[in-house]
Amino acid sequence: VQLQASGGGLVQAGGSLRLSCAASRVTFSTFSSYAVGWFRQAPGKEREFVAGIAWYGRTTSYADSVEGRFSISRDNTKNTVALQMNSLKPDDTAVYYCAAEYYGRGTPTSAYAYWGQGTQVTVSS
């Protein structure tokens, strides 16, 4: 599985962005069999979990820092997972990555085996 994150950019605090994670080369099973998680890494900080969605799509997980502001969803017909980010704060500035785990639950501790390149999100104050 190859993943590509997109949709990042520069936005003012309080604004919104929608990130997309597109999967390709899903040669084993189908994209619906994969959990997808979003992570972010800010300069000088460790990578942290942001949100995840289970392979069956009904269970989602969020970091406390984004709960109520971010929403993750998936479209298995398009092999994509979206991260809708609202009420953005300067602290949300980071490179955002998507990752996938075969038959995973999309939690912070899931064993994500596939990672995409990141997309930069910058929130100005």
Side-chain angles (χ1 to χ4, degrees):
V1 176
Q2 289 189 343
L3 304 173
Q4 179 64 53
S6 62
L10 173 64
V11 64
Q12 289 187 334
S16 299
L17 280 175
R18 185 176 179 86
L19 304 184
S20 180
C21 177
S24 61
R25 297 192 178 183
V26 184
T27 57
F28 186 67
S29 189
T30 63
F31 179 66
S32 61
S33 301
Y34 291 83
V36 175
W38 282 97
F39 293 77
R40 66 187 182 187
Q41 187 165 21
K45 296 185 178 181
E46 294 186 352
R47 185 176 64 197
E48 64 175 353
F49 175 83
V50 175
I53 187 165
W55 69 272
Y56 46 87
R58 289 194 297 272
T59 298
T60 57
S61 301
Y62 295 94
D64 290 343
S65 60
V66 306
E67 182 82 53
R69 299 189 297 122
F70 291 11
S71 177
I72 188 170
S73 61
R74 66 188 304 155
D75 185 344
N76 292 329
T77 65
K78 298 180 179 179
N79 285 4
T80 59
V81 169
L83 182 68
Q84 178 67 42
M85 306 187 297
N86 299 326
S87 302
L88 284 162
K89 306 174 181 180
D91 285 348
D92 295 318
T93 295
V95 177
Y96 284 70
Y97 302 87
C98 59
E101 179 196 17
Y102 187 57
Y103 280 127
R105 299 179 62 187
T107 64
T109 57
S110 293
Y112 297 96
Y114 308 95
W115 290 82
Q117 293 183 329
T119 183
Q120 176 71 47
V121 172
T122 303
V123 184
S124 63
S125 57

